[in-house]
Amino acid sequence: MTAPLPVRPPAEPAPEKTPQEASGQRPPSRLLAPLRQTGQLFALALAVSRAIFRRPFQVREFIEQFWFVASVTILPAALVSIPFGAVIALQVGSLTEQLGAQSFTGGASVLAVIQQASPLIVALLIAGAAGSAICADLGSRKIREELDAMEVMGVSPVQRLVVPRVLATMSVAVLLNGLVSVVGTLGGYFFNVIMQGGTPGAYLASFSALAQLPDLYVGELKALIFGFIAGIVAAYRGLNPRGGPKGVGDAVNQSVVITFMLLFAVNMVLTAIYLQIVPPKGG
């Protein structure tokens, strides 16, 4: 009897080629992923800027989002601005007392609150409270394929959902910046006059010596830009989640961290430009 021939295992099928490999192109490197995401973020910001002036404008959605953003940020902003104003007033008061210029404590502390502290407080609260909710809402819609269904029906998710939310964050940021500036200034006045024994008249008189209207304008401009950044980043991460529900949670965390980093970088640039363009009062 002849021995049976050995049976060869079937050959494994060759792996399918990606479209880049089929066309002879190399797949994109992982190092380029941050650049692609940055470009997509700027593209979304440009698309939102264009869609703001297109019809139809979602008035009802805008009002609902405005009320939601305001309801979750008003009370925390007012409470956070008090210790911020107090710390700035106490620190500036201590420094001016060492320099023998205690009469300028009010103007210096108010400038710090209006130009720097107030817009940053508003932006951080909007990014942390409202931005995370916006990102989670859009991300949940994305994984349920609601946004894909809207595109199939010819409805733009950017114009229908993103534009009202971005406009809501910008509007609330501008209005909330005024509230935080007033509360922070009153907190600084109280702690400087009551705890450090400052003179109320000198505290108020130093306003006109150092402060000017462009200081208020740049604070409002910063709040407007910061609100736009917070809304755009939250919308971008919500529209691009990864890995199902867990990816939505990761996108929320990433949106808050990215917004914080962008806010401090943009604030540094805006402050440097403002100090170069607008001369100090009396300078």
Side-chain angles (χ1 to χ4, degrees), residues 202-232:
Y203 190 93
L204 298 176
S206 61
F207 291 172
S208 59
L210 297 178
Q212 50 186 341
L213 279 178
D215 299 328
L216 179 61
Y217 298 156
V218 72
E220 293 291 343
L221 178 62
K222 283 183 178 182
L224 183 69
I225 296 175
F226 293 167
F228 179 78
I229 293 175
I232 288 295

mmCIF file of all heavy atoms in Angstrom, residues 202-232:
data_model
loop_
_atom_site.group_PDB
_atom_site.id
_atom_site.type_symbol
_atom_site.label_atom_id
_atom_site.label_comp_id
_atom_site.label_asym_id
_atom_site.label_seq_id
_atom_site.Cartn_x
_atom_site.Cartn_y
_atom_site.Cartn_z
ATOM 1 N N ALA A 202 -9.688 106.890 47.730
ATOM 2 C CA ALA A 202 -8.493 106.637 46.914
ATOM 3 C C ALA A 202 -8.697 105.432 46.006
ATOM 4 O O ALA A 202 -8.221 105.414 44.860
ATOM 5 C CB ALA A 202 -7.282 106.424 47.815
ATOM 6 N N TYR A 203 -9.406 104.425 46.499
ATOM 7 C CA TYR A 203 -9.666 103.240 45.678
ATOM 8 C C TYR A 203 -10.488 103.607 44.452
ATOM 9 O O TYR A 203 -10.205 103.163 43.337
ATOM 10 C CB TYR A 203 -10.397 102.189 46.513
ATOM 11 C CG TYR A 203 -10.506 100.831 45.867
ATOM 12 C CD1 TYR A 203 -9.552 99.845 46.124
ATOM 13 C CD2 TYR A 203 -11.555 100.524 45.011
ATOM 14 C CE1 TYR A 203 -9.643 98.604 45.535
ATOM 15 C CE2 TYR A 203 -11.655 99.275 44.421
ATOM 16 C CZ TYR A 203 -10.691 98.320 44.688
ATOM 17 O OH TYR A 203 -10.790 97.086 44.096
ATOM 18 N N LEU A 204 -11.512 104.434 44.640
ATOM 19 C CA LEU A 204 -12.359 104.825 43.518
ATOM 20 C C LEU A 204 -11.679 105.852 42.615
ATOM 21 O O LEU A 204 -11.851 105.834 41.394
ATOM 22 C CB LEU A 204 -13.682 105.385 44.041
ATOM 23 C CG LEU A 204 -14.550 104.406 44.848
ATOM 24 C CD1 LEU A 204 -15.776 105.109 45.398
ATOM 25 C CD2 LEU A 204 -14.963 103.222 43.987
ATOM 26 N N ALA A 205 -10.903 106.754 43.208
ATOM 27 C CA ALA A 205 -10.250 107.794 42.406
ATOM 28 C C ALA A 205 -9.171 107.231 41.496
ATOM 29 O O ALA A 205 -8.878 107.801 40.439
ATOM 30 C CB ALA A 205 -9.649 108.857 43.322
ATOM 31 N N SER A 206 -8.577 106.102 41.886
ATOM 32 C CA SER A 206 -7.516 105.530 41.054
ATOM 33 C C SER A 206 -8.055 104.926 39.764
ATOM 34 O O SER A 206 -7.281 104.641 38.846
ATOM 35 C CB SER A 206 -6.749 104.463 41.845
ATOM 36 O OG SER A 206 -7.610 103.409 42.228
ATOM 37 N N PHE A 207 -9.399 104.729 39.692
ATOM 38 C CA PHE A 207 -9.968 104.232 38.449
ATOM 39 C C PHE A 207 -9.652 105.173 37.293
ATOM 40 O O PHE A 207 -9.178 104.766 36.233
ATOM 41 C CB PHE A 207 -11.483 104.079 38.569
ATOM 42 C CG PHE A 207 -11.912 102.967 39.486
ATOM 43 C CD1 PHE A 207 -13.242 102.813 39.819
ATOM 44 C CD2 PHE A 207 -10.993 102.075 40.010
ATOM 45 C CE1 PHE A 207 -13.650 101.793 40.661
ATOM 46 C CE2 PHE A 207 -11.381 101.050 40.847
ATOM 47 C CZ PHE A 207 -12.720 100.913 41.180
ATOM 48 N N SER A 208 -9.939 106.443 37.497
ATOM 49 C CA SER A 208 -9.735 107.428 36.435
ATOM 50 C C SER A 208 -8.254 107.684 36.157
ATOM 51 O O SER A 208 -7.908 108.198 35.090
ATOM 52 C CB SER A 208 -10.414 108.747 36.812
ATOM 53 O OG SER A 208 -9.888 109.240 38.044
ATOM 54 N N ALA A 209 -7.383 107.319 37.101
ATOM 55 C CA ALA A 209 -5.960 107.562 36.900
ATOM 56 C C ALA A 209 -5.310 106.501 36.010
ATOM 57 O O ALA A 209 -4.377 106.805 35.269
ATOM 58 C CB ALA A 209 -5.250 107.606 38.249
ATOM 59 N N LEU A 210 -5.809 105.261 36.076
ATOM 60 C CA LEU A 210 -5.182 104.175 35.324
ATOM 61 C C LEU A 210 -6.090 103.541 34.273
ATOM 62 O O LEU A 210 -5.613 103.135 33.220
ATOM 63 C CB LEU A 210 -4.704 103.075 36.286
ATOM 64 C CG LEU A 210 -3.615 103.463 37.292
ATOM 65 C CD1 LEU A 210 -3.298 102.285 38.199
ATOM 66 C CD2 LEU A 210 -2.363 103.938 36.580
ATOM 67 N N ALA A 211 -7.382 103.443 34.574
ATOM 68 C CA ALA A 211 -8.289 102.729 33.682
ATOM 69 C C ALA A 211 -8.789 103.635 32.567
ATOM 70 O O ALA A 211 -8.845 104.859 32.703
ATOM 71 C CB ALA A 211 -9.474 102.172 34.474
ATOM 72 N N GLN A 212 -9.152 103.016 31.429
ATOM 73 C CA GLN A 212 -9.718 103.720 30.292
ATOM 74 C C GLN A 212 -10.684 102.785 29.567
ATOM 75 O O GLN A 212 -10.701 101.568 29.801
ATOM 76 C CB GLN A 212 -8.619 104.204 29.354
ATOM 77 C CG GLN A 212 -7.616 103.144 28.965
ATOM 78 C CD GLN A 212 -6.460 103.688 28.154
ATOM 79 O OE1 GLN A 212 -6.548 104.762 27.581
ATOM 80 N NE2 GLN A 212 -5.366 102.943 28.094
ATOM 81 N N LEU A 213 -11.490 103.367 28.677
ATOM 82 C CA LEU A 213 -12.523 102.582 28.012
ATOM 83 C C LEU A 213 -11.967 101.426 27.173
ATOM 84 O O LEU A 213 -12.584 100.365 27.128
ATOM 85 C CB LEU A 213 -13.389 103.492 27.141
ATOM 86 C CG LEU A 213 -14.473 104.274 27.883
ATOM 87 C CD1 LEU A 213 -15.227 105.166 26.914
ATOM 88 C CD2 LEU A 213 -15.427 103.330 28.595
ATOM 89 N N PRO A 214 -10.857 101.583 26.470
ATOM 90 C CA PRO A 214 -10.332 100.425 25.722
ATOM 91 C C PRO A 214 -10.055 99.203 26.584
ATOM 92 O O PRO A 214 -10.083 98.078 26.076
ATOM 93 C CB PRO A 214 -9.038 100.972 25.105
ATOM 94 C CG PRO A 214 -9.301 102.428 24.932
ATOM 95 C CD PRO A 214 -10.126 102.816 26.126
ATOM 96 N N ASP A 215 -9.813 99.389 27.879
ATOM 97 C CA ASP A 215 -9.630 98.231 28.760
ATOM 98 C C ASP A 215 -10.907 97.400 28.840
ATOM 99 O O ASP A 215 -10.869 96.163 28.846
ATOM 100 C CB ASP A 215 -9.225 98.697 30.155
ATOM 101 C CG ASP A 215 -7.906 99.455 30.142
ATOM 102 O OD1 ASP A 215 -7.049 99.132 29.302
ATOM 103 O OD2 ASP A 215 -7.753 100.397 30.958
ATOM 104 N N LEU A 216 -12.051 98.089 28.893
ATOM 105 C CA LEU A 216 -13.322 97.372 28.897
ATOM 106 C C LEU A 216 -13.612 96.744 27.545
ATOM 107 O O LEU A 216 -14.116 95.611 27.462
ATOM 108 C CB LEU A 216 -14.452 98.321 29.289
ATOM 109 C CG LEU A 216 -15.864 97.734 29.326
ATOM 110 C CD1 LEU A 216 -15.957 96.611 30.335
ATOM 111 C CD2 LEU A 216 -16.896 98.819 29.625
ATOM 112 N N TYR A 217 -13.271 97.448 26.479
ATOM 113 C CA TYR A 217 -13.512 96.911 25.136
ATOM 114 C C TYR A 217 -12.712 95.637 24.883
ATOM 115 O O TYR A 217 -13.232 94.669 24.316
ATOM 116 C CB TYR A 217 -13.152 97.963 24.082
ATOM 117 C CG TYR A 217 -13.965 99.222 24.161
ATOM 118 C CD1 TYR A 217 -13.480 100.433 23.654
ATOM 119 C CD2 TYR A 217 -15.227 99.239 24.749
ATOM 120 C CE1 TYR A 217 -14.225 101.594 23.722
ATOM 121 C CE2 TYR A 217 -15.980 100.400 24.831
ATOM 122 C CZ TYR A 217 -15.466 101.575 24.316
ATOM 123 O OH TYR A 217 -16.205 102.728 24.398
ATOM 124 N N VAL A 218 -11.448 95.637 25.299
ATOM 125 C CA VAL A 218 -10.629 94.454 25.042
ATOM 126 C C VAL A 218 -11.106 93.281 25.892
ATOM 127 O O VAL A 218 -11.028 92.117 25.470
ATOM 128 C CB VAL A 218 -9.139 94.760 25.309
ATOM 129 C CG1 VAL A 218 -8.844 94.900 26.799
ATOM 130 C CG2 VAL A 218 -8.254 93.669 24.715
ATOM 131 N N GLY A 219 -11.647 93.560 27.087
ATOM 132 C CA GLY A 219 -12.202 92.477 27.893
ATOM 133 C C GLY A 219 -13.414 91.838 27.223
ATOM 134 O O GLY A 219 -13.550 90.611 27.193
ATOM 135 N N GLU A 220 -14.297 92.671 26.666
ATOM 136 C CA GLU A 220 -15.459 92.135 25.966
ATOM 137 C C GLU A 220 -15.055 91.401 24.692
ATOM 138 O O GLU A 220 -15.636 90.369 24.341
ATOM 139 C CB GLU A 220 -16.421 93.283 25.626
ATOM 140 C CG GLU A 220 -17.065 93.935 26.846
ATOM 141 C CD GLU A 220 -18.043 93.009 27.543
ATOM 142 O OE1 GLU A 220 -18.471 92.018 26.935
ATOM 143 O OE2 GLU A 220 -18.378 93.266 28.715
ATOM 144 N N LEU A 221 -14.054 91.927 23.980
ATOM 145 C CA LEU A 221 -13.582 91.249 22.775
ATOM 146 C C LEU A 221 -12.980 89.889 23.108
ATOM 147 O O LEU A 221 -13.209 88.892 22.395
ATOM 148 C CB LEU A 221 -12.553 92.122 22.054
ATOM 149 C CG LEU A 221 -11.927 91.530 20.784
ATOM 150 C CD1 LEU A 221 -12.989 91.284 19.729
ATOM 151 C CD2 LEU A 221 -10.825 92.446 20.244
ATOM 152 N N LYS A 222 -12.218 89.835 24.181
ATOM 153 C CA LYS A 222 -11.660 88.545 24.603
ATOM 154 C C LYS A 222 -12.772 87.561 24.947
ATOM 155 O O LYS A 222 -12.713 86.383 24.561
ATOM 156 C CB LYS A 222 -10.760 88.739 25.817
ATOM 157 C CG LYS A 222 -9.391 89.321 25.508
ATOM 158 C CD LYS A 222 -8.563 89.396 26.783
ATOM 159 C CE LYS A 222 -7.167 89.920 26.512
ATOM 160 N NZ LYS A 222 -6.350 89.956 27.736
ATOM 161 N N ALA A 223 -13.783 88.023 25.661
ATOM 162 C CA ALA A 223 -14.883 87.131 26.021
ATOM 163 C C ALA A 223 -15.600 86.609 24.778
ATOM 164 O O ALA A 223 -15.970 85.429 24.705
ATOM 165 C CB ALA A 223 -15.876 87.863 26.932
ATOM 166 N N LEU A 224 -15.788 87.476 23.774
ATOM 167 C CA LEU A 224 -16.433 87.051 22.529
ATOM 168 C C LEU A 224 -15.606 85.990 21.813
ATOM 169 O O LEU A 224 -16.131 84.956 21.373
ATOM 170 C CB LEU A 224 -16.647 88.267 21.632
ATOM 171 C CG LEU A 224 -17.388 88.022 20.311
ATOM 172 C CD1 LEU A 224 -18.844 87.675 20.578
ATOM 173 C CD2 LEU A 224 -17.280 89.248 19.409
ATOM 174 N N ILE A 225 -14.307 86.230 21.696
ATOM 175 C CA ILE A 225 -13.435 85.266 21.014
ATOM 176 C C ILE A 225 -13.331 83.967 21.804
ATOM 177 O O ILE A 225 -13.370 82.865 21.230
ATOM 178 C CB ILE A 225 -12.047 85.885 20.782
ATOM 179 C CG1 ILE A 225 -12.153 87.085 19.837
ATOM 180 C CG2 ILE A 225 -11.076 84.852 20.215
ATOM 181 C CD1 ILE A 225 -10.847 87.827 19.638
ATOM 182 N N PHE A 226 -13.225 84.064 23.121
ATOM 183 C CA PHE A 226 -13.124 82.860 23.941
ATOM 184 C C PHE A 226 -14.411 82.029 23.860
ATOM 185 O O PHE A 226 -14.359 80.793 23.844
ATOM 186 C CB PHE A 226 -12.836 83.235 25.388
ATOM 187 C CG PHE A 226 -11.474 83.844 25.596
ATOM 188 C CD1 PHE A 226 -11.149 84.482 26.792
ATOM 189 C CD2 PHE A 226 -10.511 83.795 24.601
ATOM 190 C CE1 PHE A 226 -9.899 85.042 26.980
ATOM 191 C CE2 PHE A 226 -9.260 84.350 24.776
ATOM 192 C CZ PHE A 226 -8.951 84.982 25.973
ATOM 193 N N GLY A 227 -15.560 82.692 23.834
ATOM 194 C CA GLY A 227 -16.816 81.964 23.685
ATOM 195 C C GLY A 227 -16.898 81.245 22.350
ATOM 196 O O GLY A 227 -17.385 80.108 22.264
ATOM 197 N N PHE A 228 -16.391 81.897 21.299
ATOM 198 C CA PHE A 228 -16.363 81.254 19.969
ATOM 199 C C PHE A 228 -15.450 80.033 19.989
ATOM 200 O O PHE A 228 -15.810 78.968 19.467
ATOM 201 C CB PHE A 228 -15.886 82.271 18.933
ATOM 202 C CG PHE A 228 -15.791 81.730 17.532
ATOM 203 C CD1 PHE A 228 -16.929 81.574 16.766
ATOM 204 C CD2 PHE A 228 -14.570 81.364 17.002
ATOM 205 C CE1 PHE A 228 -16.850 81.064 15.475
ATOM 206 C CE2 PHE A 228 -14.476 80.866 15.713
ATOM 207 C CZ PHE A 228 -15.630 80.715 14.948
ATOM 208 N N ILE A 229 -14.292 80.157 20.603
ATOM 209 C CA ILE A 229 -13.352 79.029 20.659
ATOM 210 C C ILE A 229 -13.955 77.869 21.449
ATOM 211 O O ILE A 229 -13.866 76.702 21.032
ATOM 212 C CB ILE A 229 -12.019 79.482 21.277
ATOM 213 C CG1 ILE A 229 -11.306 80.470 20.343
ATOM 214 C CG2 ILE A 229 -11.123 78.290 21.563
ATOM 215 C CD1 ILE A 229 -10.044 81.065 20.928
ATOM 216 N N ALA A 230 -14.572 78.168 22.588
ATOM 217 C CA ALA A 230 -15.162 77.104 23.401
ATOM 218 C C ALA A 230 -16.264 76.375 22.642
ATOM 219 O O ALA A 230 -16.351 75.137 22.678
ATOM 220 C CB ALA A 230 -15.708 77.692 24.705
ATOM 221 N N GLY A 231 -17.111 77.125 21.936
ATOM 222 C CA GLY A 231 -18.187 76.485 21.185
ATOM 223 C C GLY A 231 -17.676 75.667 20.013
ATOM 224 O O GLY A 231 -18.162 74.553 19.751
ATOM 225 N N ILE A 232 -16.677 76.182 19.293
ATOM 226 C CA ILE A 232 -16.150 75.471 18.129
ATOM 227 C C ILE A 232 -15.457 74.181 18.542
ATOM 228 O O ILE A 232 -15.651 73.114 17.932
ATOM 229 C CB ILE A 232 -15.189 76.380 17.339
ATOM 230 C CG1 ILE A 232 -15.970 77.480 16.613
ATOM 231 C CG2 ILE A 232 -14.381 75.568 16.333
ATOM 232 C CD1 ILE A 232 -16.889 76.972 15.539
#
